[in-house]
Amino acid sequence: MVKVNENFLKMPGSYLFSDVAKRIAAYTSAHPDARITKLSIGDVTRPLVPAVIKAMHDAVEEMGTFEGFHGYGPEQGYLFLREAIAQNDYASRGVAISPDEIFVSDGAKSDCGNIGDIFGVDNTVAVCDPVYPVYADTNAMAGRAGDYLEQMGRWSKLTYLPCVEENGFSPEPPKEKVDIIYLCFPNNPTGAVATREQLKAWVDYANANGSIILYDSAYEAFIHDPEVPHSIFEIEGALTCAIEFRSFSKTAGFTGNRCAYTVIPLELERGGTKLNGLWNRRQCTKFNGVPYVIQRGAAAIYTPEGHAQVMESIEYYRNNSKIIRESLASAGYQCFGGSNAPYIWLKAPGGMGSWDFFSLLLDKANVATTPGVGFGPRGEGFVRLTAFGDAEATKNAVERIKKVF
Ligand code: PLP
């Protein structure tokens, strides 16, 4: 009889967002007049920008002609997009990344999950706590995480890197040797960023131990502080120890379009094997590329008008972040993140737990948030607020939160 992958049977239920939705539904059915503002959404709400729409329209027209029709594209992505990425996201910041080191994909989520295919099952893995759940769960599915310890909310074989107030939610390398390290900056859920010095410590650690850093910078476009690195490859030594994931989802409103990319330097080798070659083999075997029309749309954000339009949307969200952060801080709340990220990590006053604070804000302010503990035990005592909503609704929601205490 067929045996299933028993690692899947160890997976805890993914309750966080369904629990949040259930509690909101229960509240609104008991209070039909309540108008809930969802500062819990992790999805963009602004429409695609005109330059992207035009590029996609033009590409659709092309596809309707014999000369312009595109069938299967290169598994790695069209060269026009990889060249635009290399030039605009890297060369412009003084980082030499060639198109051969870039793999266009249908999402940073898929890439972060699939990258485990090229690593042996015996590698040790470190993730942040709190964490974007994809990193831990996909390692559990592959058998690298051990057993799920329900009481602790942790996997037995993973190393957890505490991201807490004391370290500015940016962890230091552990004392022990870990093979694979997932880092995400700007961070989901805390909104924290890592400094150059902090990243340098990680790069040195990885090069010294033969580890690999899997660096998720899906929220890179929200960085505005010139001191904050946009890419791990801005750090000296990273080309020999890091893989970077980027996405058009939050940068350009592509969550429904699906386009992202992963950078694997040609210099990156372990045991004499180039990881770029392994990922290329993996992608060519299991992936048939991102649609031509979507890649044309993505490339449009690198034109001067496309860039300006996309930055306007980012600015809209950044303004929401600013309103949330500054208004809540002025009312005495402790807020973290939100300056270079679309997430604000709000501390519950008086040592209250995440879920109690969630319920209080839902009831007294009619605002939905995401309980921090849902991202890991070290998220207890926090809720995550997002800046992806409507500006007016966000402003009003914040005013209501201010009045709760
Ligand atoms: N990485 C992080 C940290 C995220 O928060 C998200 C989405 O919320 C993703 C990756 C997913 O990106 P994509 O839409 O490209 O799959």
Side-chain angles (χ1 to χ4, degrees):
M1 194 174 69
V2 164
K3 292 196 179 80
V4 300
N5 176 350
E6 293 193 356
N7 294 315
F8 279 67
L9 309 182
K10 300 176 187 170
M11 305 297 296
S14 178
Y15 299 126
L16 179 60
F17 291 99
S18 64
D19 270 4
V20 167
K22 268 189 221 150
R23 292 199 194 203
I24 297 172
Y27 185 83
T28 45
S29 91
H31 305 84
D33 294 334
R35 290 286 164 269
I36 307 297
T37 306
K38 291 186 179 166
L39 295 189
S40 48
I41 42 163
D43 197 356
V44 287
T45 54
R46 314 276 307 153
L48 292 172
V49 300
V52 167
I53 295 295
K54 163 123 187 19
M56 288 171 65
H57 272 301
D58 290 350
V60 168
E61 293 297 333
E62 255 190 273
M63 289 287 277
T65 66
F66 279 103
E67 310 74 50
F69 174 74
H70 288 74
Y72 292 124
E75 291 90 345
Q76 302 80 3
Y78 285 100
L79 192 58
F80 65 79
L81 180 55
R82 289 184 291 129
E83 281 178 345
I85 291 167
Q87 178 54 40
N88 295 279
D89 287 347
Y90 293 100
S92 67
R93 295 193 174 277
V95 180
I97 293 292
S98 77
D100 290 351
E101 298 175 301
I102 297 168
F103 296 85
V104 175
S105 77
D106 64 356
K109 185 181 195 176
S110 343
D111 285 356
C112 289
N114 292 332
I115 196 76
D117 280 9
I118 67 169
F119 296 113
V121 78
D122 295 333
N123 286 297
T124 52
V125 176
V127 296
C128 290
D129 176 13
V131 68
Y132 176 56
V134 174
Y135 316 141
D137 287 2
T138 54
N139 275 287
M141 289 171 179
R144 273 187 288 264
D147 293 314
Y148 190 69
L149 310 171
E150 197 78 46
Q151 291 292 326
M152 298 173 72
R154 292 183 182 295
W155 290 94
S156 61
K157 283 171 67 181
L158 296 187
T159 296
Y160 286 88
L161 309 166
C163 296
V164 290
E165 228 174 305
E166 292 72 36
N167 60 16
F169 305 96
S170 177
E172 285 161 26
K175 298 277 174 283
E176 71 270 28
K177 175 182 173 304
V178 183
D179 299 314
I180 299 170
I181 301 130
Y182 289 81
L183 294 179
C184 170
F185 293 109
N187 189 262
N188 177 13
T190 67
V193 288
T195 64
R196 240 164 249 285
E197 294 69 34
Q198 286 168 330
L199 291 183
K200 179 73 175 127
W202 276 108
V203 164
D204 290 347
Y205 169 93
N207 279 323
N209 290 295
S211 318
I212 300 280
I213 297 169
L214 300 177
Y215 195 77
D216 183 346
S217 67
Y219 298 97
E220 164 277 334
F222 290 82
I223 297 173
H224 79 116
D225 181 342
E227 293 305 313
V228 174
H230 288 238
S231 163
I232 187 80
F233 299 122
E234 289 177 49
I235 310 300
E236 197 196 336
L239 291 172
T240 52
C241 69
I243 291 175
E244 180 159 288
F245 306 98
R246 292 248 191 133
S247 175
F248 293 88
S249 283
K250 308 295 160 80
T251 304
F254 268 50
T255 51
N257 256 2
R258 310 309 304 146
C259 196
Y261 66 88
T262 287
V263 178
I264 309 192
L266 286 161
E267 281 179 56
L268 183 58
E269 294 185 6
R270 287 296 177 267
T273 303
K274 282 192 186 299
L275 300 194
N276 180 295
L278 292 191
W279 185 243
N280 190 43
R281 186 73 172 88
R282 190 265 171 216
Q283 291 297 80
C284 291
T285 302
K286 292 193 178 180
F287 184 62
N288 251 342
V290 175
Y292 174 71
V293 174
I294 300 295
Q295 292 194 57
R296 278 290 177 201
I301 76 160
Y302 297 112
T303 61
E305 62 279 15
H307 177 71
Q309 292 164 3
V310 159
M311 288 321 287
E312 215 174 287
S313 287
I314 298 274
E315 211 38 53
Y316 181 94
Y317 296 133
R318 288 201 62 245
N319 198 45
N320 284 347
S321 291
K322 187 167 183 282
I323 287 168
I324 298 173
R325 242 179 333 112
E326 292 182 356
S327 308
L328 294 183
S330 76
Y333 284 98
Q334 263 189 295
C335 299
F336 302 91
S339 306
N340 293 287
Y343 297 118
I344 294 96
W345 198 230
L346 173 62
K347 190 170 180 179
M352 195 184 290
S354 291
W355 277 110
D356 286 345
F357 192 37
F358 165 89
S359 299
L360 187 74
L361 293 178
L362 188 61
D363 187 33
K364 298 278 188 266
N366 286 173
V367 174
T369 59
T370 309
V373 70
F375 298 99
R378 302 268 185 175
E380 181 58 288
F382 291 87
V383 295
R384 188 193 72 174
L385 306 179
T386 76
F388 289 124
D390 171 77
E392 203 51 35
T394 300
K395 211 161 152 188
N396 293 336
V398 169
E399 286 308 311
R400 300 198 300 273
I401 296 178
K402 279 167 77 171
K403 293 190 188 123
V404 171
F405 283 95

